Amino acid sequence: MAYKAVLFDLDGTLLDSLEDLADSTNAALASLGFPGHPVEDYKILVGDGAEALVRRSLPRGSRDPHTRRRCFEALGREYACRWRDKTVPYPGIPELLDALTERGFLLAILSNKAEEFTRLAAETLLSKWRFFEVRGARDGFPKKPDPAGALEMVRESGLTASAFLYLGDTGTDMKTASAAGMTAVGALWGFRDAAELLGAGAESVIGHPRELLPYLL
């Protein structure tokens, strides 16, 4: 397969954002009088958007719509204050993006993070590289694993879905890629393990960004 484009997830794939997500959510929970969670627990809690993060992080007896809305609003405020305190590209990601850019691959980002923060993160922490499109969660548009966002990227690129390799770190990403007709590759440096990625449709998994190049060249 002659790939021409790479579609990336953001958190857990390009950016190590776990601590900022955990700190922000724990602060939101504390503001409502609820206990927080260890940072490692957020590897499971995150991945499907802020609404899902709020629902999963609240105590089981406190997930009513009113409480979820208050926590969602608090999370937005907290994350706006600390989204880049500790967030950085994973080791090897800058070198991978350099190599892909030099070889003429089209690059894009598709995240379940709110579009505002997705674009801000890309423009601030990944500004050295050109992505032909950066998309996050938008009102009225389905989140991953619905393939609508990935297929939108295909249309905008002028390529076919089979020309895309999708790199992500969760089962949600693998399901998205498979549903869109893209090759799904799982990133083991992110939030989930090989069993989840392979079980959700990953054609392969890699342990370091440099291992992606052999699939593309």
Side-chain angles (χ1 to χ4, degrees):
M1 174 62 65
Y3 297 108
K4 297 181 180 180
V6 182
L7 180 56
F8 295 96
D9 175 51
L10 185 64
D11 295 326
T13 302
L14 291 174
L15 299 180
D16 184 357
S17 56
L18 190 66
E19 288 192 68
D20 284 337
L21 290 166
D23 291 347
S24 300
T25 308
N26 284 341
L29 291 168
S31 73
L32 300 179
F34 296 119
H37 304 274
V39 172
E40 282 296 303
D41 287 3
Y42 282 94
K43 288 185 176 181
I44 300 299
L45 297 173
V46 302
D48 294 306
E51 294 91 345
L53 172 57
V54 163
R55 185 180 68 253
R56 294 167 181 168
S57 61
L58 283 166
R60 290 190 180 276
S62 302
R63 296 176 179 176
D64 58 277
H66 176 67
T67 303
R68 292 203 310 268
R69 179 181 58 77
R70 291 179 62 208
C71 192
F72 178 82
E73 292 171 350
L75 175 58
R77 293 191 297 269
E78 296 293 344
Y79 193 63
C81 295
R82 52 169 60 85
W83 71 269
R84 64 166 301 177
D85 285 357
K86 302 170 185 175
T87 297
V88 293
Y90 281 101
I93 287 297
E95 293 79 6
L96 172 62
L97 294 177
D98 282 344
L100 295 177
T101 299
E102 289 169 5
R103 290 164 172 80
F105 285 93
L106 291 180
L107 308 178
I109 295 172
L110 179 63
S111 176
N112 275 343
K113 182 196 290 287
E115 176 133 329
E116 172 191 0
F117 290 118
T118 299
R119 291 187 177 276
L120 186 59
E123 292 166 2
T124 304
L125 300 176
L126 300 169
S127 60
K128 179 181 175 183
W129 301 280
R130 182 181 181 277
F131 297 90
F132 78 85
E133 189 56 89
V134 176
R135 291 289 190 188
R138 293 166 278 167
D139 290 340
F141 199 85
K143 297 182 179 67
K144 300 181 293 184
D146 190 294
L151 292 172
E152 182 179 53
M153 299 288 190
V154 171
R155 290 191 296 272
E156 292 179 2
S157 73
L159 301 173
T160 63
S162 62
F164 276 77
L165 186 146
Y166 186 118
L167 182 67
D169 68 299
T170 69
T172 295
D173 294 313
M174 302 302 95
K175 292 174 183 177
T176 303
S178 297
M182 299 177 176
T183 297
V185 175
L188 292 177
W189 57 86
F191 299 159
R192 306 290 171 79
D193 60 18
E196 175 177 325
L197 295 169
L198 292 169
E203 296 194 14
S204 59
V205 295
I206 58 175
H208 190 280
R210 64 172 169 264
E211 297 175 28
L212 187 67
L213 287 177
Y215 289 91
L216 294 165
L217 303 178

